Amino acid sequence: MRYAFYVVGLLILTLGISFTIQSNLGTSPFDALLVGLSRNVGLTVGSWEIILAILLIGSNALIAKQKPELVGLITAFITGIGIDMWLFLLRDFVTPDFWYSQAICFGIGLIVTGLGTATYLHTNFAPIPVDRLTILIKEMTKKSIFFSRTIIYVLFLVLAMIFKGPIGVGTLLTVCLGGFILHFFMPIIGRILNNKMNISQKEELNR
C-alpha cells in the first residue's frame, strides 16, 4: 500500500509539472532550469531531472553529513520518466493559446503538483533530492516548509535565469504559493493516508 501511494504521488506530481510547462506562463524555478537546460544544452527535461538529482544527492549528503541517499535515484528516475511521459501525452492536447486558458492550465498544474508532492512525501520513501533538501533546510533553520521551499525556489530561479528557462508570471506565483500549497496539503494527505494504512492493516490482520 505504501509503495502504491509513493508511485501514485509521483505520477500526480509529474502530471502537475507537465501542466505548468504546457501553460507557457512560466514554471517553478527548478522546472524552469530543467527546461532551459533541455532547450539550450540538449537531452529531455526528464533526463535533466535525473542528472540534477544525482548532484543534489551528493550535496544533501554533505549537508547532512551522512552517506548519499542513493535510494533517491529511484524517485528521480520515476519522476524523470513521468515528466517525459506526460509531456509526450499532453503536447497535442494541452496547448492553451489564450491567457485565461493558460491561467487555468497553470493553476491546475500548481495545485496538482502540491497534491502529488504531499502524497509521496508522506510515504517516507526515497524523497526527490530537492524535497530532501527542503526538509534538511527546515530542520536546520527550525522554520516551516513554506520558508524552506521559498529559499530553494529563489536559488533555482537564479540558475534558471542563467540557462534561459521559461520564467514568467507563473514562476513568481510558484515561488509565492508553492510552499503554501504544499503546507496546506501535507496534513490533509497525512490524515487520508493514515486512515488508508490503518484500514489496510486491519484487513490483513483479519485474514
Side-chain angles (χ1 to χ4, degrees), residues 106-205:
F106 176 82
I108 291 172
L110 191 60
I111 293 172
V112 171
T113 297
L115 174 63
T117 302
T119 301
Y120 99 85
L121 277 179
H122 269 296
T123 64
N124 293 317
F125 178 76
I128 292 174
V130 70
D131 291 326
R132 170 60 75 188
L133 180 59
T134 300
I135 295 172
L136 288 174
I137 292 176
K138 177 181 180 295
E139 293 174 348
M140 290 172 58
T141 61
K142 307 300 181 183
K143 300 290 186 178
S144 66
I145 286 285
F146 173 77
F147 176 84
S148 305
R149 196 71 161 185
T150 301
I151 288 178
I152 292 175
Y153 277 152
V154 172
L155 171 62
F156 283 114
L157 177 61
V158 174
L159 293 174
M161 292 174 65
I162 294 174
F163 287 97
K164 300 178 180 179
I167 298 172
V169 64
T171 307
L172 178 61
L173 290 173
T174 301
V175 172
C176 295
L177 300 177
F180 174 77
I181 292 174
L182 177 59
H183 185 72
F184 171 79
F185 276 121
M186 285 294 280
I188 297 174
I189 297 301
R191 288 193 295 269
I192 293 174
L193 293 187
N194 285 335
N195 289 336
K196 293 289 185 180
M197 294 292 186
N198 290 335
I199 292 173
S200 177
Q201 289 176 354
K202 289 180 180 178
E203 290 178 347
E204 290 181 359
L205 292 174

Side-chain angles (χ1 to χ4, degrees), residues 17 20-21 27-36 45 49 83 113 166:
I17 291 173
T20 60
I21 292 175
T27 67
S28 76
F30 183 72
D31 297 324
L33 175 59
L34 297 180
V35 175
V45 176
E49 165 76 29
I83 291 174
T113 297

Side-chain angles (χ1 to χ4, degrees), residues 32-46 48:
L33 175 59
L34 297 180
V35 175
L37 287 168
S38 178
R39 291 176 179 174
N40 295 288
V41 180
L43 302 178
T44 65
V45 176
W48 281 109

